[in-house]
Amino acid sequence: MVQVIEDAICGEEGNSLAQPLWRTEQIRRLEQHWARHEGRECYDLMERAGAALCSYACHHWPESRHWWIFVGPGNNGGDGYVLARLARRVGLEPLVIAARAPELLKGDARRAADAWLAAGGCVIMAEEAELASLMPPDLVIDALLGTGVHISLSPAMTRIVATINALQAPVLAVDLPSGLNADTGRAMGALVRATRTLTFIGIKQGMLTADGVDGVGRLDCDSLGVTPPDGVIPAALRIDYPGLKALLTPRPRSAHKGSNGKVLVVGGNLGMQGAILLAGMACLRTGAGLVRLSQHPDLPPVSLAQPELMGWSGGVDDGWAQVRVLGPGLGRDEWARSRFEQLITTEGPLVLDADGLNWLAQGPRHQDNWVLTPHPGEAARLLGCAIAEIAADRFAAVRQLQRRYGGVVLLKGAGTLICDGHSIALCDEGNPGMASGGMGDLLSGIIAALLAQGWSASMATRLGAVIHGEAADCAAAEGERGMLASDLLPWIRRLVNPTQ
């Protein structure tokens, strides 16, 4: 049974993708467990996958008849051969284009290829085919490479991927787009850019982060009847706003500003006052009762721009605040250094962002009372490595950050990752319009406000991530280019009041 996966936007219910994410080795073990438990062959799953693909393609592209099915040397190609046989049976015209000759295949893939040939099908070799002379396809099926891609694609395979991407037809990826490392989300030299992907058994964690978000297109999942046995823990959990918004229950009628938390935001150095203003506004719009801003003394008070924000010229650790935010517009001068040193040792929840993280990188320490929110560049400085190393495996990077620094770590980027030392959550809400100044300041303010209202560090960070991403998706309805961080503020208020 295909489970349709579509993100709910702007608070509409839709279909939520709140479900486990898996590593490729876990998927293999689930397949093997199913075969033992059911007393069946794994080839039966290949037949089921082919049938699911045929039904799926006919549903989404009902007018298509000429299918080009690119098949590879492994089980992903075997799924493609089964699909071709079933498509031909229902009167369609599949053309099978192979990266490896059928007689060179092994195991279940060879069995599927033999069944296709026995049914009267034929195969043309990708390296020899003159595709330009053929009738163009209505639909392209990418069944080249599956979950076993861990090294860069060969030149021959890279050429086939380029051919697929150049065709003027929708592309359906089988299990995952060819060239994608299913565990890390990195493109291994070349990547098919699919219109839709039908993945099997479970969603692979790399499909929703890094390069995966560009290759997958619209994502759907068919379990093929395989269910994880009790006690099996997924590699990560995909979270979204529809799945978590039930936590945002109405306040008791007796609530007052003191019961909704006090937040102190420290930053706003010369030329960067906007950062602390955005963080403070996000705090207020997320529901913090009182917010103070500790900014550079030579600047006019931010309360001139937003009267509900209070200025604070005293020390940063007078015991007033329940939650502190350190970093938005903090800078790297002597004033910034002194503020960092005063605040870093205080007790109570602390959110570190921007230059707060850059100062921490200069003097690493491990604490459990903070939430760290680095982007890849800040993460690289915290780990003393290149940005490319962060991008190569974001899951490994967020785990390493949490082990080294403690607390809860949120690694920003396409497919935001949150690690609390026990589990990893992935939020893939949000859009490219967020690639502009001030978005991270909003996130810090949102998380701080949720901490101040009583959520744990782990849950406040998860809630903060989905509210932030969902607000950005709502704001992007008017266009991603030119979207400002402040455009999210009205949506943040709406999203933290889902039942009102």
PDB file of all heavy atoms in Angstrom, residues 221-257:
ATOM      1  N   CYS A 221       5.963   6.516  -0.220  1.00  0.00           N
ATOM      2  CA  CYS A 221       6.568   5.298   0.331  1.00  0.00           C
ATOM      3  C   CYS A 221       5.569   4.154   0.295  1.00  0.00           C
ATOM      4  O   CYS A 221       4.392   4.329   0.617  1.00  0.00           O
ATOM      5  CB  CYS A 221       7.024   5.546   1.774  1.00  0.00           C
ATOM      6  SG  CYS A 221       7.828   4.124   2.550  1.00  0.00           S
ATOM      7  N   ASP A 222       6.043   2.990  -0.108  1.00  0.00           N
ATOM      8  CA  ASP A 222       5.257   1.758  -0.061  1.00  0.00           C
ATOM      9  C   ASP A 222       6.043   0.751   0.770  1.00  0.00           C
ATOM     10  O   ASP A 222       7.179   0.415   0.439  1.00  0.00           O
ATOM     11  CB  ASP A 222       5.020   1.218  -1.468  1.00  0.00           C
ATOM     12  CG  ASP A 222       3.962   0.122  -1.497  1.00  0.00           C
ATOM     13  OD1 ASP A 222       3.998  -0.757  -0.615  1.00  0.00           O
ATOM     14  OD2 ASP A 222       3.109   0.140  -2.397  1.00  0.00           O
ATOM     15  N   SER A 223       5.448   0.278   1.843  1.00  0.00           N
ATOM     16  CA  SER A 223       6.143  -0.648   2.745  1.00  0.00           C
ATOM     17  C   SER A 223       6.288  -2.043   2.153  1.00  0.00           C
ATOM     18  O   SER A 223       7.041  -2.867   2.692  1.00  0.00           O
ATOM     19  CB  SER A 223       5.404  -0.740   4.074  1.00  0.00           C
ATOM     20  OG  SER A 223       4.167  -1.433   3.907  1.00  0.00           O
ATOM     21  N   LEU A 224       5.547  -2.347   1.083  1.00  0.00           N
ATOM     22  CA  LEU A 224       5.530  -3.686   0.469  1.00  0.00           C
ATOM     23  C   LEU A 224       5.114  -4.768   1.460  1.00  0.00           C
ATOM     24  O   LEU A 224       5.409  -5.950   1.276  1.00  0.00           O
ATOM     25  CB  LEU A 224       6.894  -4.036  -0.139  1.00  0.00           C
ATOM     26  CG  LEU A 224       7.458  -3.044  -1.160  1.00  0.00           C
ATOM     27  CD1 LEU A 224       8.807  -3.536  -1.681  1.00  0.00           C
ATOM     28  CD2 LEU A 224       6.478  -2.825  -2.307  1.00  0.00           C
ATOM     29  N   GLY A 225       4.425  -4.358   2.508  1.00  0.00           N
ATOM     30  CA  GLY A 225       3.980  -5.318   3.510  1.00  0.00           C
ATOM     31  C   GLY A 225       5.008  -5.657   4.562  1.00  0.00           C
ATOM     32  O   GLY A 225       4.785  -6.537   5.396  1.00  0.00           O
ATOM     33  N   VAL A 226       6.147  -4.958   4.557  1.00  0.00           N
ATOM     34  CA  VAL A 226       7.217  -5.211   5.526  1.00  0.00           C
ATOM     35  C   VAL A 226       7.046  -4.252   6.692  1.00  0.00           C
ATOM     36  O   VAL A 226       6.999  -3.035   6.512  1.00  0.00           O
ATOM     37  CB  VAL A 226       8.602  -5.023   4.886  1.00  0.00           C
ATOM     38  CG1 VAL A 226       9.696  -5.207   5.933  1.00  0.00           C
ATOM     39  CG2 VAL A 226       8.783  -5.983   3.721  1.00  0.00           C
ATOM     40  N   THR A 227       6.959  -4.780   7.890  1.00  0.00           N
ATOM     41  CA  THR A 227       6.854  -3.954   9.087  1.00  0.00           C
ATOM     42  C   THR A 227       8.000  -4.277  10.029  1.00  0.00           C
ATOM     43  O   THR A 227       8.382  -5.434  10.181  1.00  0.00           O
ATOM     44  CB  THR A 227       5.517  -4.185   9.814  1.00  0.00           C
ATOM     45  OG1 THR A 227       5.398  -5.587  10.134  1.00  0.00           O
ATOM     46  CG2 THR A 227       4.346  -3.773   8.936  1.00  0.00           C
ATOM     47  N   PRO A 228       8.574  -3.263  10.680  1.00  0.00           N
ATOM     48  CA  PRO A 228       9.683  -3.518  11.599  1.00  0.00           C
ATOM     49  C   PRO A 228       9.226  -4.352  12.794  1.00  0.00           C
ATOM     50  O   PRO A 228       8.138  -4.117  13.336  1.00  0.00           O
ATOM     51  CB  PRO A 228      10.107  -2.113  12.044  1.00  0.00           C
ATOM     52  CG  PRO A 228       9.521  -1.187  11.027  1.00  0.00           C
ATOM     53  CD  PRO A 228       8.271  -1.834  10.554  1.00  0.00           C
ATOM     54  N   PRO A 229      10.007  -5.310  13.213  1.00  0.00           N
ATOM     55  CA  PRO A 229       9.649  -6.062  14.421  1.00  0.00           C
ATOM     56  C   PRO A 229       9.746  -5.171  15.650  1.00  0.00           C
ATOM     57  O   PRO A 229      10.403  -4.121  15.634  1.00  0.00           O
ATOM     58  CB  PRO A 229      10.692  -7.189  14.461  1.00  0.00           C
ATOM     59  CG  PRO A 229      11.825  -6.708  13.628  1.00  0.00           C
ATOM     60  CD  PRO A 229      11.254  -5.804  12.595  1.00  0.00           C
ATOM     61  N   ASP A 230       9.085  -5.580  16.709  1.00  0.00           N
ATOM     62  CA  ASP A 230       9.101  -4.805  17.953  1.00  0.00           C
ATOM     63  C   ASP A 230      10.537  -4.612  18.436  1.00  0.00           C
ATOM     64  O   ASP A 230      11.361  -5.527  18.368  1.00  0.00           O
ATOM     65  CB  ASP A 230       8.290  -5.521  19.028  1.00  0.00           C
ATOM     66  CG  ASP A 230       6.799  -5.557  18.708  1.00  0.00           C
ATOM     67  OD1 ASP A 230       6.359  -4.737  17.870  1.00  0.00           O
ATOM     68  OD2 ASP A 230       6.085  -6.398  19.288  1.00  0.00           O
ATOM     69  N   GLY A 231      10.795  -3.419  18.906  1.00  0.00           N
ATOM     70  CA  GLY A 231      12.098  -3.136  19.488  1.00  0.00           C
ATOM     71  C   GLY A 231      13.135  -2.590  18.528  1.00  0.00           C
ATOM     72  O   GLY A 231      14.215  -2.177  18.946  1.00  0.00           O
ATOM     73  N   VAL A 232      12.827  -2.574  17.233  1.00  0.00           N
ATOM     74  CA  VAL A 232      13.769  -2.037  16.253  1.00  0.00           C
ATOM     75  C   VAL A 232      13.687  -0.511  16.282  1.00  0.00           C
ATOM     76  O   VAL A 232      12.613   0.064  16.112  1.00  0.00           O
ATOM     77  CB  VAL A 232      13.479  -2.562  14.841  1.00  0.00           C
ATOM     78  CG1 VAL A 232      14.380  -1.886  13.819  1.00  0.00           C
ATOM     79  CG2 VAL A 232      13.665  -4.071  14.804  1.00  0.00           C
ATOM     80  N   ILE A 233      14.806   0.134  16.506  1.00  0.00           N
ATOM     81  CA  ILE A 233      14.856   1.586  16.643  1.00  0.00           C
ATOM     82  C   ILE A 233      15.327   2.198  15.332  1.00  0.00           C
ATOM     83  O   ILE A 233      16.386   1.826  14.812  1.00  0.00           O
ATOM     84  CB  ILE A 233      15.804   1.997  17.786  1.00  0.00           C
ATOM     85  CG1 ILE A 233      15.300   1.407  19.105  1.00  0.00           C
ATOM     86  CG2 ILE A 233      15.909   3.519  17.888  1.00  0.00           C
ATOM     87  CD1 ILE A 233      16.246   1.624  20.274  1.00  0.00           C
ATOM     88  N   PRO A 234      14.582   3.138  14.755  1.00  0.00           N
ATOM     89  CA  PRO A 234      15.022   3.759  13.499  1.00  0.00           C
ATOM     90  C   PRO A 234      16.254   4.630  13.698  1.00  0.00           C
ATOM     91  O   PRO A 234      16.602   4.995  14.826  1.00  0.00           O
ATOM     92  CB  PRO A 234      13.809   4.594  13.086  1.00  0.00           C
ATOM     93  CG  PRO A 234      13.093   4.882  14.370  1.00  0.00           C
ATOM     94  CD  PRO A 234      13.304   3.672  15.247  1.00  0.00           C
ATOM     95  N   ALA A 235      16.898   4.970  12.599  1.00  0.00           N
ATOM     96  CA  ALA A 235      18.096   5.804  12.662  1.00  0.00           C
ATOM     97  C   ALA A 235      17.760   7.236  13.047  1.00  0.00           C
ATOM     98  O   ALA A 235      18.554   7.918  13.703  1.00  0.00           O
ATOM     99  CB  ALA A 235      18.813   5.784  11.319  1.00  0.00           C
ATOM    100  N   ALA A 236      16.597   7.693  12.632  1.00  0.00           N
ATOM    101  CA  ALA A 236      16.172   9.061  12.916  1.00  0.00           C
ATOM    102  C   ALA A 236      14.656   9.115  12.791  1.00  0.00           C
ATOM    103  O   ALA A 236      14.013   8.154  12.364  1.00  0.00           O
ATOM    104  CB  ALA A 236      16.828  10.054  11.962  1.00  0.00           C
ATOM    105  N   LEU A 237      14.089  10.265  13.163  1.00  0.00           N
ATOM    106  CA  LEU A 237      12.649  10.451  13.068  1.00  0.00           C
ATOM    107  C   LEU A 237      12.371  11.762  12.373  1.00  0.00           C
ATOM    108  O   LEU A 237      12.891  12.806  12.763  1.00  0.00           O
ATOM    109  CB  LEU A 237      11.998  10.459  14.455  1.00  0.00           C
ATOM    110  CG  LEU A 237      10.486  10.638  14.479  1.00  0.00           C
ATOM    111  CD1 LEU A 237       9.792   9.411  13.910  1.00  0.00           C
ATOM    112  CD2 LEU A 237       9.991  10.920  15.885  1.00  0.00           C
ATOM    113  N   ARG A 238      11.587  11.707  11.334  1.00  0.00           N
ATOM    114  CA  ARG A 238      11.201  12.925  10.640  1.00  0.00           C
ATOM    115  C   ARG A 238      10.063  13.591  11.409  1.00  0.00           C
ATOM    116  O   ARG A 238       9.067  12.957  11.750  1.00  0.00           O
ATOM    117  CB  ARG A 238      10.777  12.605   9.211  1.00  0.00           C
ATOM    118  CG  ARG A 238      10.651  13.861   8.318  1.00  0.00           C
ATOM    119  CD  ARG A 238       9.278  14.443   8.348  1.00  0.00           C
ATOM    120  NE  ARG A 238       9.143  15.569   7.416  1.00  0.00           N
ATOM    121  CZ  ARG A 238       8.034  16.245   7.263  1.00  0.00           C
ATOM    122  NH1 ARG A 238       6.974  15.938   7.978  1.00  0.00           N
ATOM    123  NH2 ARG A 238       7.974  17.252   6.402  1.00  0.00           N
ATOM    124  N   ILE A 239      10.207  14.862  11.717  1.00  0.00           N
ATOM    125  CA  ILE A 239       9.201  15.614  12.460  1.00  0.00           C
ATOM    126  C   ILE A 239       8.646  16.719  11.575  1.00  0.00           C
ATOM    127  O   ILE A 239       9.314  17.210  10.671  1.00  0.00           O
ATOM    128  CB  ILE A 239       9.769  16.215  13.760  1.00  0.00           C
ATOM    129  CG1 ILE A 239      10.980  17.109  13.466  1.00  0.00           C
ATOM    130  CG2 ILE A 239      10.142  15.114  14.739  1.00  0.00           C
ATOM    131  CD1 ILE A 239      11.491  17.870  14.693  1.00  0.00           C
ATOM    132  N   ASP A 240       7.399  17.117  11.841  1.00  0.00           N
ATOM    133  CA  ASP A 240       6.809  18.230  11.115  1.00  0.00           C
ATOM    134  C   ASP A 240       5.801  18.944  12.003  1.00  0.00           C
ATOM    135  O   ASP A 240       5.441  18.487  13.088  1.00  0.00           O
ATOM    136  CB  ASP A 240       6.172  17.766   9.801  1.00  0.00           C
ATOM    137  CG  ASP A 240       5.029  16.779  10.000  1.00  0.00           C
ATOM    138  OD1 ASP A 240       4.634  16.523  11.154  1.00  0.00           O
ATOM    139  OD2 ASP A 240       4.526  16.259   8.989  1.00  0.00           O
ATOM    140  N   TYR A 241       5.375  20.098  11.528  1.00  0.00           N
ATOM    141  CA  TYR A 241       4.443  20.900  12.307  1.00  0.00           C
ATOM    142  C   TYR A 241       3.114  20.193  12.548  1.00  0.00           C
ATOM    143  O   TYR A 241       2.624  20.179  13.688  1.00  0.00           O
ATOM    144  CB  TYR A 241       4.231  22.260  11.621  1.00  0.00           C
ATOM    145  CG  TYR A 241       3.198  23.110  12.292  1.00  0.00           C
ATOM    146  CD1 TYR A 241       3.491  23.790  13.479  1.00  0.00           C
ATOM    147  CD2 TYR A 241       1.912  23.229  11.763  1.00  0.00           C
ATOM    148  CE1 TYR A 241       2.525  24.562  14.107  1.00  0.00           C
ATOM    149  CE2 TYR A 241       0.946  23.994  12.379  1.00  0.00           C
ATOM    150  CZ  TYR A 241       1.255  24.662  13.556  1.00  0.00           C
ATOM    151  OH  TYR A 241       0.290  25.421  14.186  1.00  0.00           O
ATOM    152  N   PRO A 242       2.484  19.578  11.522  1.00  0.00           N
ATOM    153  CA  PRO A 242       1.222  18.888  11.804  1.00  0.00           C
ATOM    154  C   PRO A 242       1.347  17.811  12.875  1.00  0.00           C
ATOM    155  O   PRO A 242       0.408  17.567  13.632  1.00  0.00           O
ATOM    156  CB  PRO A 242       0.845  18.290  10.442  1.00  0.00           C
ATOM    157  CG  PRO A 242       1.494  19.183   9.450  1.00  0.00           C
ATOM    158  CD  PRO A 242       2.793  19.575  10.075  1.00  0.00           C
ATOM    159  N   GLY A 243       2.510  17.168  12.942  1.00  0.00           N
ATOM    160  CA  GLY A 243       2.691  16.112  13.922  1.00  0.00           C
ATOM    161  C   GLY A 243       2.943  16.595  15.330  1.00  0.00           C
ATOM    162  O   GLY A 243       2.712  15.859  16.291  1.00  0.00           O
ATOM    163  N   LEU A 244       3.425  17.836  15.489  1.00  0.00           N
ATOM    164  CA  LEU A 244       3.776  18.343  16.818  1.00  0.00           C
ATOM    165  C   LEU A 244       2.855  19.450  17.320  1.00  0.00           C
ATOM    166  O   LEU A 244       2.908  19.802  18.499  1.00  0.00           O
ATOM    167  CB  LEU A 244       5.221  18.876  16.808  1.00  0.00           C
ATOM    168  CG  LEU A 244       6.327  17.848  16.588  1.00  0.00           C
ATOM    169  CD1 LEU A 244       7.692  18.528  16.687  1.00  0.00           C
ATOM    170  CD2 LEU A 244       6.251  16.712  17.596  1.00  0.00           C
ATOM    171  N   LYS A 245       2.012  19.989  16.458  1.00  0.00           N
ATOM    172  CA  LYS A 245       1.252  21.169  16.870  1.00  0.00           C
ATOM    173  C   LYS A 245       0.266  20.882  18.003  1.00  0.00           C
ATOM    174  O   LYS A 245      -0.146  21.816  18.709  1.00  0.00           O
ATOM    175  CB  LYS A 245       0.516  21.762  15.674  1.00  0.00           C
ATOM    176  CG  LYS A 245      -0.635  20.921  15.146  1.00  0.00           C
ATOM    177  CD  LYS A 245      -1.345  21.658  14.012  1.00  0.00           C
ATOM    178  CE  LYS A 245      -2.568  20.899  13.540  1.00  0.00           C
ATOM    179  NZ  LYS A 245      -3.289  21.628  12.474  1.00  0.00           N
ATOM    180  N   ALA A 246      -0.098  19.615  18.211  1.00  0.00           N
ATOM    181  CA  ALA A 246      -1.015  19.295  19.311  1.00  0.00           C
ATOM    182  C   ALA A 246      -0.408  19.629  20.669  1.00  0.00           C
ATOM    183  O   ALA A 246      -1.130  19.762  21.664  1.00  0.00           O
ATOM    184  CB  ALA A 246      -1.406  17.819  19.259  1.00  0.00           C
ATOM    185  N   LEU A 247       0.917  19.764  20.725  1.00  0.00           N
ATOM    186  CA  LEU A 247       1.571  20.150  21.981  1.00  0.00           C
ATOM    187  C   LEU A 247       1.283  21.597  22.351  1.00  0.00           C
ATOM    188  O   LEU A 247       1.440  21.989  23.512  1.00  0.00           O
ATOM    189  CB  LEU A 247       3.082  19.938  21.866  1.00  0.00           C
ATOM    190  CG  LEU A 247       3.559  18.500  21.644  1.00  0.00           C
ATOM    191  CD1 LEU A 247       5.058  18.483  21.380  1.00  0.00           C
ATOM    192  CD2 LEU A 247       3.212  17.631  22.842  1.00  0.00           C
ATOM    193  N   LEU A 248       0.892  22.391  21.367  1.00  0.00           N
ATOM    194  CA  LEU A 248       0.675  23.819  21.593  1.00  0.00           C
ATOM    195  C   LEU A 248      -0.756  24.055  22.051  1.00  0.00           C
ATOM    196  O   LEU A 248      -1.574  24.650  21.367  1.00  0.00           O
ATOM    197  CB  LEU A 248       0.991  24.593  20.314  1.00  0.00           C
ATOM    198  CG  LEU A 248       2.440  24.485  19.846  1.00  0.00           C
ATOM    199  CD1 LEU A 248       2.574  24.887  18.386  1.00  0.00           C
ATOM    200  CD2 LEU A 248       3.349  25.342  20.723  1.00  0.00           C
ATOM    201  N   THR A 249      -1.055  23.570  23.238  1.00  0.00           N
ATOM    202  CA  THR A 249      -2.407  23.668  23.786  1.00  0.00           C
ATOM    203  C   THR A 249      -2.684  25.089  24.281  1.00  0.00           C
ATOM    204  O   THR A 249      -1.763  25.853  24.572  1.00  0.00           O
ATOM    205  CB  THR A 249      -2.575  22.685  24.950  1.00  0.00           C
ATOM    206  OG1 THR A 249      -1.544  22.936  25.929  1.00  0.00           O
ATOM    207  CG2 THR A 249      -2.448  21.249  24.460  1.00  0.00           C
ATOM    208  N   PRO A 250      -3.975  25.462  24.369  1.00  0.00           N
ATOM    209  CA  PRO A 250      -4.313  26.799  24.881  1.00  0.00           C
ATOM    210  C   PRO A 250      -3.799  27.001  26.300  1.00  0.00           C
ATOM    211  O   PRO A 250      -3.686  26.057  27.087  1.00  0.00           O
ATOM    212  CB  PRO A 250      -5.840  26.816  24.830  1.00  0.00           C
ATOM    213  CG  PRO A 250      -6.209  25.778  23.831  1.00  0.00           C
ATOM    214  CD  PRO A 250      -5.163  24.718  23.949  1.00  0.00           C
ATOM    215  N   ARG A 251      -3.495  28.237  26.616  1.00  0.00           N
ATOM    216  CA  ARG A 251      -3.031  28.557  27.965  1.00  0.00           C
ATOM    217  C   ARG A 251      -4.188  28.530  28.955  1.00  0.00           C
ATOM    218  O   ARG A 251      -5.341  28.784  28.591  1.00  0.00           O
ATOM    219  CB  ARG A 251      -2.398  29.950  27.975  1.00  0.00           C
ATOM    220  CG  ARG A 251      -1.067  30.023  27.257  1.00  0.00           C
ATOM    221  CD  ARG A 251      -0.595  31.451  27.164  1.00  0.00           C
ATOM    222  NE  ARG A 251       0.797  31.506  26.738  1.00  0.00           N
ATOM    223  CZ  ARG A 251       1.436  32.623  26.434  1.00  0.00           C
ATOM    224  NH1 ARG A 251       0.801  33.788  26.504  1.00  0.00           N
ATOM    225  NH2 ARG A 251       2.702  32.593  26.062  1.00  0.00           N
ATOM    226  N   PRO A 252      -3.872  28.266  30.221  1.00  0.00           N
ATOM    227  CA  PRO A 252      -4.923  28.380  31.246  1.00  0.00           C
ATOM    228  C   PRO A 252      -5.390  29.823  31.374  1.00  0.00           C
ATOM    229  O   PRO A 252      -4.625  30.768  31.127  1.00  0.00           O
ATOM    230  CB  PRO A 252      -4.224  27.889  32.524  1.00  0.00           C
ATOM    231  CG  PRO A 252      -2.765  28.032  32.250  1.00  0.00           C
ATOM    232  CD  PRO A 252      -2.588  27.829  30.779  1.00  0.00           C
ATOM    233  N   ARG A 253      -6.618  30.021  31.735  1.00  0.00           N
ATOM    234  CA  ARG A 253      -7.175  31.370  31.848  1.00  0.00           C
ATOM    235  C   ARG A 253      -6.437  32.194  32.891  1.00  0.00           C
ATOM    236  O   ARG A 253      -6.445  33.424  32.841  1.00  0.00           O
ATOM    237  CB  ARG A 253      -8.657  31.283  32.205  1.00  0.00           C
ATOM    238  CG  ARG A 253      -9.513  30.545  31.179  1.00  0.00           C
ATOM    239  CD  ARG A 253      -9.522  31.230  29.829  1.00  0.00           C
ATOM    240  NE  ARG A 253     -10.135  32.557  29.916  1.00  0.00           N
ATOM    241  CZ  ARG A 253     -10.108  33.445  28.925  1.00  0.00           C
ATOM    242  NH1 ARG A 253      -9.466  33.162  27.801  1.00  0.00           N
ATOM    243  NH2 ARG A 253     -10.701  34.616  29.074  1.00  0.00           N
ATOM    244  N   SER A 254      -5.811  31.542  33.834  1.00  0.00           N
ATOM    245  CA  SER A 254      -5.121  32.257  34.915  1.00  0.00           C
ATOM    246  C   SER A 254      -3.692  32.664  34.565  1.00  0.00           C
ATOM    247  O   SER A 254      -2.973  33.201  35.392  1.00  0.00           O
ATOM    248  CB  SER A 254      -5.083  31.388  36.170  1.00  0.00           C
ATOM    249  OG  SER A 254      -4.406  30.159  35.902  1.00  0.00           O
ATOM    250  N   ALA A 255      -3.253  32.411  33.321  1.00  0.00           N
ATOM    251  CA  ALA A 255      -1.866  32.700  32.945  1.00  0.00           C
ATOM    252  C   ALA A 255      -1.589  34.202  33.032  1.00  0.00           C
ATOM    253  O   ALA A 255      -2.463  35.041  32.795  1.00  0.00           O
ATOM    254  CB  ALA A 255      -1.611  32.212  31.527  1.00  0.00           C
ATOM    255  N   HIS A 256      -0.347  34.518  33.382  1.00  0.00           N
ATOM    256  CA  HIS A 256       0.096  35.919  33.402  1.00  0.00           C
ATOM    257  C   HIS A 256       1.504  35.981  32.823  1.00  0.00           C
ATOM    258  O   HIS A 256       2.137  34.950  32.583  1.00  0.00           O
ATOM    259  CB  HIS A 256       0.061  36.490  34.823  1.00  0.00           C
ATOM    260  CG  HIS A 256       0.825  35.685  35.822  1.00  0.00           C
ATOM    261  ND1 HIS A 256       2.189  35.828  36.032  1.00  0.00           N
ATOM    262  CD2 HIS A 256       0.422  34.692  36.655  1.00  0.00           C
ATOM    263  CE1 HIS A 256       2.585  34.977  36.960  1.00  0.00           C
ATOM    264  NE2 HIS A 256       1.531  34.263  37.351  1.00  0.00           N
ATOM    265  N   LYS A 257       2.016  37.192  32.608  1.00  0.00           N
ATOM    266  CA  LYS A 257       3.286  37.310  31.893  1.00  0.00           C
ATOM    267  C   LYS A 257       4.431  36.644  32.631  1.00  0.00           C
ATOM    268  O   LYS A 257       5.349  36.100  32.004  1.00  0.00           O
ATOM    269  CB  LYS A 257       3.613  38.775  31.595  1.00  0.00           C
ATOM    270  CG  LYS A 257       3.750  39.694  32.802  1.00  0.00           C
ATOM    271  CD  LYS A 257       4.089  41.099  32.333  1.00  0.00           C
ATOM    272  CE  LYS A 257       4.236  42.091  33.475  1.00  0.00           C
ATOM    273  NZ  LYS A 257       2.916  42.477  34.029  1.00  0.00           N
TER     274      LYS A 257
END
